[in-house]
Amino acid sequence: MPQITTNAIVLRRADYRENDRMLTLFSPTLGRIDALSRGCRRQKSPLMAASEVFCAGEYVLYQAGERTTVVSCAVTDTYYPLRGDYERLAHGMYALELCAAAIQPMQENERLFLLLLRALAHLCYGQDEPRRVTAVFLMGMTSLLGFRPQVGRCARCGRPIDVLTAEEGIPVAAFSAEQGGVLCTACGAGERCRLYAADVLYLQDIMRRGLKSLEDEAQCPDALFDALRQLAEQRLDTPIRSGRMLP
């Protein structure tokens, strides 16, 4: 049976038998891979680090029938510093679980894979507020999965959102997870997430620039962050349990 070599990151792990683990890997070319890591829980096992969540590297896998086994891994990053900061760890776990719900076996998604690695690098090694990183990740992920949020026009009536003539302190729009984006003041009258001109510009900026928008100091309001989470989780149609860990 053939061996497969692929870059991957561990999204989930579950102890199996006495010394083994079942891993859920995300490969940019092969999608989700469920693989057995034999003996990885033994002391001095060469697969110990490669069988932990967040571990990214070049995995060599052996396929026999429907079972896939980890042979070896050249680790590139474990994002270990996340474990020393609860808030950053919670946001990292949330990103992993979102990807685990989104990817399918044999479904290539290199752009989502790279977005995940870059978001984890910002959480692990950067100084950016974790909520801002996750907001950008949510916008990017939903776009890559085909659920691109509408941020320039009303998602219901199509009317352009006017931010140039907006009065300070007056909401100019709302955000609706159900409608899939920004709503004008008329269509979004009953929405809880009200947006000011700066909020709409912030959404447009992170949609256009992605993680590069973190170079600026714009903040993501709590209500908008919650709405972006709701949008992603509704489209995935899967409860994301690690979301309860987010501060």
Side-chain angles (χ1 to χ4, degrees):
M1 291 293 179
Q3 286 190 351
I4 298 173
T5 301
T6 180
N7 290 321
I9 183 170
V10 180
L11 300 180
R12 293 174 177 164
R13 67 163 176 79
D15 290 345
Y16 180 68
R17 295 178 177 170
E18 185 175 354
N19 294 303
D20 306 338
R21 276 188 180 143
M22 293 298 300
L23 307 180
T24 298
L25 303 175
F26 179 9
S27 162
T29 55
L30 301 174
R32 191 185 75 229
I33 303 171
D34 297 315
L36 175 65
S37 183
R38 294 185 184 276
C40 65
R41 294 161 60 198
R42 295 193 181 99
Q43 289 187 353
K44 300 183 180 180
S45 168
L47 294 177
M48 182 178 291
S51 303
E52 294 286 352
V53 291
F54 294 112
C55 181
E58 185 179 69
Y59 283 78
V60 178
L61 309 172
Y62 176 79
Q63 287 189 313
E66 296 183 356
R67 170 161 288 186
T68 302
T69 304
V70 178
V71 176
S72 64
C73 176
V75 175
T76 56
D77 204 335
T78 62
Y79 302 100
Y80 189 81
L82 287 176
R83 293 157 177 80
D85 186 312
Y86 175 82
E87 184 178 6
R88 292 180 181 277
L89 176 63
H91 281 267
M93 291 297 298
Y94 183 64
L96 293 187
E97 191 173 354
L98 285 169
C99 288
I103 61 174
Q104 299 297 323
M106 301 308 297
Q107 184 180 76
E108 180 180 351
N109 202 328
E110 184 173 3
R111 293 177 68 186
L112 180 59
F113 179 81
L114 293 175
L115 176 65
L116 174 61
L117 295 191
R118 290 168 181 164
L120 291 177
H122 276 276
L123 288 172
C124 188
Y125 306 115
Q127 301 299 317
D128 308 296
E129 183 188 14
R131 181 167 293 208
R132 293 181 61 212
V133 178
T134 300
V136 176
F137 178 79
L138 288 167
M139 287 284 279
M141 186 194 73
T142 51
S143 297
L144 292 173
L145 295 178
F147 309 121
R148 184 182 180 90
Q150 177 61 260
V151 298
R153 293 177 175 270
C154 177
R156 181 177 293 168
C157 72
R159 182 184 305 168
I161 305 299
D162 182 13
V163 296
L164 298 179
T165 61
E167 297 182 33
E168 186 175 355
I170 304 297
V172 299
F175 192 93
S176 169
E178 288 77 11
Q179 296 296 323
V182 174
L183 299 178
C184 66
T185 52
C187 294
E191 296 293 333
R192 184 179 71 87
C193 181
R194 311 294 291 175
L195 301 178
Y196 299 90
D199 302 329
V200 176
L201 291 172
Y202 167 74
L203 280 174
Q204 294 173 352
D205 187 48
I206 64 175
M207 178 64 77
R208 183 176 66 255
R209 298 171 59 210
L211 289 166
K212 290 184 178 179
S213 66
L214 296 174
E215 297 169 358
D216 301 329
E217 296 183 358
Q219 297 299 309
C220 182
D222 291 347
L224 177 57
F225 181 76
D226 292 341
L228 290 173
R229 282 183 54 195
Q230 185 182 0
L231 172 65
E233 294 178 26
Q234 282 186 354
R235 296 302 186 268
L236 292 173
D237 195 26
T238 302
I240 307 299
R241 292 178 297 176
S242 58
R244 297 194 293 265
M245 298 168 53
L246 298 181

